[in-house]
Amino acid sequence: MVTDQATYNKKKFRNEILIFIVKLVLYFGVLYVNLTQHNYFEKYNWLGRTANALSLFLGANILISIGWIVLISWYLRKNRLQRLTRDNFVLGLNRISSVLNTVVFLVALMNFTGLNLKETFFSLSIAAAAFALLTKEYVANMINGLIIMFSDQLSLGDQIRVGEYKGKVLDITLINVVLQNDDDDIVLIPNSVIFSSMVLNQSKQNIKKLTIEFELDLKYQSSPDMLERELKASLRPYASNITENSFSLKILEIKKDLVHYKVQFLIPRPDKETERKMRRMLINTILSFSGREINEQENAD
């Protein structure tokens, strides 16, 4: 049974609320035990530390969850989006809440082990500063990742090109941007590379260019106009998927034995499967055209 995105989002939101309620009930239960069982905890010191650590972790986790729910609800209501839509802002809040929960867990763990939080925090601050200097590229990637998440220049689902790599943005993490290219390969690009490179975002234009470059032997050449007519004719079944008057065939270079061509046109509604079919149709036409030219030359001889 296939579940649409809206139904999935509603179920996921209900699950998040249910988990929040369970954590709330558990927190008040631990808090009640912590306040009423002092004598028992004095006898079994480790149980007291466990209760304190649990109350600290659950309390902070609940506050983080409340902040997450309030901000998500405000953002989705403001932009009239479906609940838990995969969006950069939602993604950024999820990453930040995960980091905060990890920090709270470490603090609760220190509380459980009986470490002095002030002294430990001071020591860890020095160690963290030294660690940040040694791993500044990692820290830079995290900061760049958060900037990408909370900006509207790069979004989940966008078709982008970064250097020689191009594809669809599947995910944005604190370390890298995850792309899926035309061959369905997964490409991981560090966030620092995204910031230091020129990024072409085709999705922000609401159009996509389909481009094919190829070479034909110079001694078997017919006119470029004939080749252009052949290529256009091959794409007639997909006329509705091509922006009107956007088709072009350019000669990029005339070499000693070859002519370097580029065919290009715009696609108003990107569709991966249709793009694959159009690309294959063009390639078959180019190969057929080249073979026909060779046969005609042999017959003339």
Side-chain angles (χ1 to χ4, degrees):
M1 180 179 178
V2 179
T3 304
D4 60 24
Q5 187 63 33
T7 303
Y8 172 77
N9 287 340
K10 290 178 181 178
K11 288 182 178 179
K12 188 173 182 181
F13 189 80
R14 285 198 298 266
N15 290 338
E16 292 288 338
I17 296 297
L18 180 61
I19 292 173
F20 174 77
I21 293 173
V22 171
K23 288 190 294 187
L24 198 61
V25 172
L26 185 60
Y27 171 70
F28 282 116
V30 172
L31 195 61
Y32 174 78
V33 172
N34 206 11
L35 293 174
T36 58
Q37 301 297 323
H38 289 293
N39 294 333
Y40 193 74
F41 288 155
E42 288 177 0
K43 183 178 180 181
Y44 300 97
N45 187 258
W46 65 273
L47 284 177
R49 293 199 307 269
T50 302
N52 288 331
L54 278 175
S55 60
L56 174 63
F57 175 73
L58 289 172
N61 183 265
I62 288 170
L63 289 177
I64 294 170
S65 297
I66 291 173
W68 181 88
I69 291 173
V70 170
L71 288 174
I72 291 292
S73 300
W74 166 80
Y75 177 75
L76 298 183
R77 190 181 303 110
K78 176 184 176 183
N79 294 277
R80 298 180 181 178
L81 301 174
Q82 292 179 345
R83 289 178 172 177
L84 296 186
T85 302
R86 278 182 64 81
D87 180 88
N88 280 28
F89 185 84
V90 178
L91 184 65
L93 285 182
N94 289 340
R95 304 297 188 204
I96 290 176
S97 63
S98 297
V99 171
L100 292 177
N101 281 323
T102 301
V103 172
V104 170
F105 174 78
L106 293 176
V107 173
L109 185 62
M110 288 189 294
N111 190 34
F112 171 75
T113 56
L115 295 174
N116 187 296
L117 293 181
K118 291 183 179 180
E119 294 179 359
T120 305
F121 180 77
F122 180 74
S123 301
L124 289 178
S125 297
I126 298 175
F131 183 75
L133 290 175
L134 295 175
T135 60
K136 58 183 179 180
E137 292 185 2
Y138 181 84
V139 175
N141 269 337
M142 292 182 62
I143 296 173
N144 292 337
L146 289 174
I147 294 173
I148 293 173
M149 291 175 199
F150 288 106
S151 71
D152 59 353
Q153 297 178 351
L154 197 63
S155 304
L156 297 175
D158 282 356
Q159 292 285 343
I160 69 170
R161 178 192 291 271
V162 184
E164 61 180 299
Y165 302 105
K166 63 177 182 178
K168 177 182 178 181
V169 179
L170 292 183
D171 197 7
I172 303 173
T173 71
L174 294 174
I175 306 300
N176 49 48
V177 174
V178 183
L179 297 185
Q180 182 182 35
N181 62 18
D182 292 335
D183 297 323
D184 291 330
D185 296 326
I186 301 299
V187 182
L188 305 179
I189 302 179
N191 295 327
S192 57
V193 174
I194 297 289
F195 266 75
S196 61
S197 304
M198 184 177 69
V199 179
L200 175 62
N201 192 334
Q202 297 173 328
S203 297
K204 294 303 180 184
Q205 301 174 341
N206 295 321
I207 59 174
K208 183 177 181 180
K209 293 180 182 178
L210 194 152
T211 302
I212 296 179
E213 295 186 17
F214 60 95
E215 294 178 338
L216 290 177
D217 198 312
L218 186 60
K219 64 181 179 180
Y220 299 133
Q221 281 295 307
S222 294
S223 68
D225 292 337
M226 181 182 295
L227 176 59
E228 184 173 353
R229 287 196 296 271
E230 293 265 357
L231 294 175
K232 283 184 176 180
S234 69
L235 293 174
R236 282 173 187 165
Y238 306 100
S240 61
N241 299 98
I242 301 174
T243 301
E244 188 176 359
N245 299 323
S246 67
F247 187 96
S248 67
L249 177 68
K250 298 179 182 178
I251 297 177
L252 298 181
E253 186 180 3
I254 299 178
K255 302 179 182 179
K256 180 180 179 181
D257 301 318
L258 300 168
V259 180
H260 188 185
Y261 288 98
K262 180 172 78 170
V263 59
Q264 186 178 77
F265 54 87
L266 302 180
I267 303 172
R269 297 175 301 278
D271 183 336
K272 190 173 181 179
E273 182 62 22
T274 302
E275 292 170 28
R276 185 186 65 80
K277 291 179 180 179
M278 287 192 290
R279 189 181 295 274
R280 177 169 293 183
M281 183 66 72
L282 286 172
I283 292 173
N284 289 339
T285 303
I286 293 168
L287 294 175
S288 174
F289 186 87
S290 177
R292 186 165 64 252
E293 289 295 314
I294 294 174
N295 291 333
E296 289 177 358
Q297 181 68 23
E298 290 177 348
N299 292 335
D301 292 343

